[in-house]
Amino acid sequence: MDLVIGIDIGGTKTKIGLVDVKGNCLADTFFRTREFPDIDSYLDKVVATVKELQSQVAAEINFLGCGIGAPNASSRDGTIVHASNLVWKGVVPILAKMAERMPLPMKITNDANAAALGEMLFGVAKGMEDFIVITLGTGFGAGIVANGKLIEGYDGFAGELGHVDMTIGDGRLTGLNVRGGLEAYVSATGLKRTMLYLQSKYMDESRFRSIAYNDLHGEEITQAAVEGDPIAIKAFDYTAKILGQAMANFTAFSQPEAFILMGGLVNSGKWIMEPLQKYFEKNLLEFYKGKVKILLSGLPGKTTAISGAAALIWADHTNDY
Amino acid sequence: MDLVIGIDIGGTKTKIGLVDVKGNCLADTFFRTREFPDIDSYLDKVVATVKELQSQVAAEINFLGCGIGAPNASSRDGTIVHASNLVWKGVVPILAKMAERMPLPMKITNDANAAALGEMLFGVAKGMEDFIVITLGTGFGAGIVANGKLIEGYDGFAGELGHVDMTIGDGRLTGLNVRGGLEAYVSATGLKRTMLYLQSKYMDESRFRSIAYNDLHGEEITQAAVEGDPIAIKAFDYTAKILGQAMANFTAFSQPEAFILMGGLVNSGKWIMEPLQKYFEKNLLEFYKGKVKILLSGLPGKTTAISGAAALIWADHTNDY
């Protein structure tokens, strides 16, 4: 049976799975990325994990290749470059190092680009020519498709929308030292920073006045919103306002048919989605209003990123089936 | 001889020319757009102008078609929609109305998209797959090419970068009521508004304290900068700062190989270009620095927009020669 290895390298977790032609994960697992600060022992762990997964699949496997999604990946050079959310610094020649370990066709791209390919091949973007995938995890990622093709840019680094400055140089710093950068507001980390900011700005009573920044988790903020915590509710509204404004700006760039959202922040459901829809429409130019959809990922939640990474390879085989 | 009619509909002037396969204008002229508030009499004037030009060309002409560049043009519907810098309001079915007057293949696109096609076919973008043309005239236009193709968007309205909000909802209003929109800062009109703002902010002596807004022209501001007027010099710096920031943001979107600038503001030469280069590089993310060129249009200045419009038709004939 033909399968593709899909690897999603995230700031927190590395997810690995074996993906079939429909985008289904036949076996998958994860480990903590930060536990391997040395890239070589990290890749040894990856290879060992693939072997483990292989043994879980009953059928005889023919691997067509390995697709990797990672922040700040250069598809042209096969490298990861200055990724602020990863432990390895500088330029990491990850594809060359993987090829030493596994003699397979291998591709890498920005994690959000991989997600965009996944949605196009297996998810809600089937048949769409123009759409933007936004991944809201530890950081903020974007995969942009126009004219039916991923926009990779001159050098393979397009779609770094988390570092777009929304404030003419006056605002929070992102991990790449961009002042006012979107990711500093709209991401799991951004939401936590907003919780601090709003507690500084307002005097509302809130359970979060007893919780330190390092002990704060996204799920708790959602739970608090459900229970009516004013700071939590304001934090989602504030996040949605900036994301809505940013998405309206992005619409002026490539006029997508839809934005497709995924990642931890989206799990907060209506707390983020309802104000987002409102602020997005409010900020859209007149001739875009009512025309741009906001969709949730059409890939199975837990393995979205894995299927996306595998789509890098599967895209070359769609005509074989 | 095969020629294409190129028409550039601007807020101030309508430029018309007859363009050969190399992008050269064999005959061209212009008239004031605002003198024809009625679209039908405007188009009659266009047709009369084409006949006039035709009589100036010695050779027998075979018209291959007519290409039109206009602000807020929808290439799919052949309309101009809510163009803030034009006299005709609402939705103007300009291609249908033109076809009644001239039975020729006809195409329309956003004026900046036309300019981008022109640069790709005839100008400095020959051989480039990823670039962005920015037109700095009465308004701010952008034509974006990625993967060798113009990004037109789901509905034909991509590239409206003049209405990107740079200030999270706090700033000047554009003609489309976008608060903080780029065009309100970076355009001929934006520069004039900045002249007022800086006179309000600083107490420097300046000849402009005796000139009212409505009497102010871009060329004078350049001349004043040459003569050392502090408000004029600050105005170019301020404009360049916002444009540099915006171009750094756009780079994060599609990572172009180059930005190609054209239009009135660019005629201010080093007063705008030197600070622009500085602020652009300063704001670029680390992995883009030194990689993205800022170029001036490679098309003959006076007829750039006409050649660009004609490129809409010529693009379909490049293999015939």
Side-chain angles (χ1 to χ4, degrees):
Chain A
M1 141 181 257
D2 291 344
L3 291 178
V4 168
I5 304 164
I7 305 177
D8 174 64
I9 305 179
T12 311
K13 291 176 190 174
T14 293
K15 299 176 187 167
I16 305 185
L18 309 185
V19 179
D20 74 8
V21 64
K22 303 273 187 204
N24 298 313
C25 250
L26 301 199
D28 70 275
T29 186
F30 72 91
F31 60 86
R32 303 216 160 261
T33 310
R34 282 178 223 276
E35 283 176 18
F36 299 87
D38 173 63
I39 183 70
D40 285 299
S41 48
Y42 172 80
L43 292 176
D44 291 342
K45 170 72 178 173
V46 166
V47 172
T49 307
V50 169
K51 291 210 172 118
E52 237 177 80
L53 293 174
Q54 196 169 356
S55 71
Q56 294 172 25
V57 177
E60 178 99 11
I61 296 175
N62 171 42
F63 281 129
L64 294 176
C66 171
I68 304 177
N72 291 53
S74 165
S75 49
R76 304 208 181 170
D77 303 340
T79 55
I80 297 176
V81 183
H82 301 298
S84 60
N85 295 316
L86 293 181
V87 277
W88 319 298
K89 296 307 166 199
V91 177
V92 182
I94 188 163
L95 235 49
K97 282 176 175 289
M98 271 298 281
E100 290 168 11
R101 289 165 172 84
M102 283 186 177
L104 284 175
M106 227 160 259
K107 288 194 179 181
I108 190 168
T109 193
N110 167 327
D111 46 353
N113 283 351
L117 276 182
E119 294 295 339
M120 195 154 55
L121 230 58
F122 309 128
V124 293
K126 270 184 201 163
M128 285 189 196
E129 294 271 301
D130 302 279
F131 65 95
I132 297 178
V133 163
I134 293 179
T135 64
L136 300 165
T138 313
F140 181 110
I144 306 158
V145 172
N147 296 314
K149 285 192 73 176
L150 205 53
I151 299 188
E152 301 206 76
Y154 179 53
D155 207 31
F157 283 109
E160 288 294 335
L161 300 185
H163 303 285
V164 161
D165 182 343
M166 298 294 294
T167 61
I168 313 194
D170 173 29
R172 297 181 192 169
L173 283 173
T174 69
L176 290 183
N177 271 319
V178 175
R179 194 167 289 285
L182 189 53
E183 176 167 288
Y185 297 86
V186 183
S187 64
T189 320
L191 180 65
K192 285 172 60 180
R193 292 168 78 172
T194 294
M195 291 296 289
L196 298 187
Y197 168 69
L198 293 175
Q199 288 177 70
S200 79
K201 183 165 179 187
Y202 299 105
M203 279 302 288
D204 299 81
E205 267 313 307
S206 163
R207 70 151 93 156
F208 294 99
R209 296 210 185 266
S210 319
I211 304 177
Y213 178 83
N214 281 336
D215 299 326
L216 195 56
H217 297 287
E219 308 86 66
E220 274 176 285
I221 305 174
T222 309
Q223 187 48 41
V226 173
E227 291 163 15
D229 186 280
I231 295 292
I233 293 171
K234 283 192 182 92
F236 284 117
D237 190 82
Y238 185 86
T239 307
K241 185 176 180 184
I242 294 177
L243 179 56
Q245 173 67 65
M247 283 167 47
N249 279 351
F250 302 155
T251 300
F253 202 97
S254 67
Q255 202 200 4
E257 177 177 351
F259 284 91
I260 301 167
L261 305 188
M262 58 180 72
L265 204 53
V266 175
N267 297 336
S268 304
K270 71 165 186 174
W271 299 100
I272 187 85
M273 298 306 289
E274 285 180 6
L276 176 61
Q277 188 72 51
K278 179 183 76 179
Y279 288 117
F280 176 58
E281 282 293 331
K282 177 168 173 278
N283 282 297
L284 276 180
L285 288 171
E286 208 49 42
F287 43 84
Y288 298 137
K289 278 190 205 291
K291 284 188 189 169
V292 188
K293 293 178 274 229
I294 302 180
L295 303 174
L296 297 180
S297 169
L299 300 174
K302 200 170 61 94
T303 55
T304 304
I306 295 173
S307 304
L312 275 170
I313 301 292
W314 274 121
D316 294 338
H317 294 271
T318 39
N319 295 326
D320 305 353
Y321 290 84
Chain B
M1 137 181 258
D2 291 343
L3 291 179
V4 168
I5 304 163
I7 304 177
D8 173 64
I9 305 179
T12 311
K13 291 177 190 174
T14 293
K15 298 176 188 168
I16 305 183
L18 308 186
V19 178
D20 73 8
V21 64
K22 302 274 187 203
N24 298 314
C25 250
L26 302 199
D28 70 275
T29 185
F30 72 90
F31 61 86
R32 304 218 158 262
T33 310
R34 282 179 224 277
E35 283 176 19
F36 299 87
D38 173 63
I39 183 70
D40 285 299
S41 47
Y42 172 80
L43 293 176
D44 291 342
K45 170 70 178 176
V46 166
V47 172
T49 307
V50 169
K51 292 210 172 119
E52 235 175 82
L53 292 174
Q54 195 169 355
S55 71
Q56 294 171 25
V57 177
E60 179 99 9
I61 297 175
N62 171 41
F63 281 129
L64 294 177
C66 171
I68 304 176
N72 291 52
S74 165
S75 49
R76 305 209 181 169
D77 303 340
T79 55
I80 297 176
V81 183
H82 300 298
S84 61
N85 293 318
L86 293 181
V87 278
W88 319 298
K89 295 307 166 198
V91 178
V92 181
I94 188 163
L95 234 49
K97 282 176 175 288
M98 271 298 279
E100 290 167 11
R101 290 166 172 84
M102 282 186 177
L104 284 175
M106 228 163 257
K107 289 194 178 181
I108 189 168
T109 193
N110 165 328
D111 45 353
N113 284 351
L117 276 182
E119 293 295 339
M120 195 155 54
L121 231 59
F122 309 127
V124 292
K126 269 185 202 163
M128 285 190 197
E129 293 272 299
D130 303 279
F131 65 95
I132 298 179
V133 163
I134 292 179
T135 63
L136 300 166
T138 313
F140 182 110
I144 306 158
V145 171
N147 295 315
K149 283 191 73 176
L150 206 52
I151 298 188
E152 300 206 75
Y154 179 52
D155 207 31
F157 283 108
E160 288 294 334
L161 300 185
H163 304 285
V164 161
D165 183 342
M166 298 295 294
T167 61
I168 313 193
D170 173 30
R172 297 182 192 170
L173 283 172
T174 68
L176 290 183
N177 272 320
V178 175
R179 193 169 289 284
L182 188 53
E183 176 166 289
Y185 298 85
V186 184
S187 63
T189 321
L191 180 66
K192 286 172 61 181
R193 293 167 78 171
T194 294
M195 291 296 288
L196 297 186
Y197 168 69
L198 293 176
Q199 289 177 69
S200 79
K201 184 165 178 188
Y202 299 105
M203 279 302 288
D204 299 81
E205 266 313 307
S206 162
R207 70 150 95 158
F208 293 98
R209 296 210 186 266
S210 319
I211 303 177
Y213 178 83
N214 281 336
D215 298 327
L216 195 56
H217 297 286
E219 308 87 63
E220 273 176 286
I221 305 174
T222 309
Q223 187 50 39
V226 173
E227 291 163 14
D229 185 281
I231 295 292
I233 292 170
K234 284 192 182 90
F236 284 117
D237 190 82
Y238 185 87
T239 306
K241 184 177 180 186
I242 294 176
L243 179 57
Q245 174 66 65
M247 283 167 46
N249 280 350
F250 301 155
T251 301
F253 202 98
S254 66
Q255 201 199 5
E257 178 177 351
F259 285 91
I260 301 167
L261 306 187
M262 59 181 72
L265 204 54
V266 175
N267 297 337
S268 304
K270 71 166 186 174
W271 298 100
I272 187 84
M273 297 306 288
E274 285 180 6
L276 175 61
Q277 187 72 50
K278 178 183 76 180
Y279 288 117
F280 176 58
E281 282 293 330
K282 177 167 171 280
N283 283 297
L284 277 180
L285 287 171
E286 207 52 40
F287 43 84
Y288 299 137
K289 280 189 203 291
K291 285 187 189 168
V292 189
K293 294 177 272 228
I294 303 179
L295 304 175
L296 297 180
S297 168
L299 300 174
K302 199 169 63 93
T303 56
T304 303
I306 295 173
S307 304
L312 275 170
I313 300 293
W314 274 119
D316 295 338
H317 294 271
T318 39
N319 296 325
D320 306 353
Y321 291 85

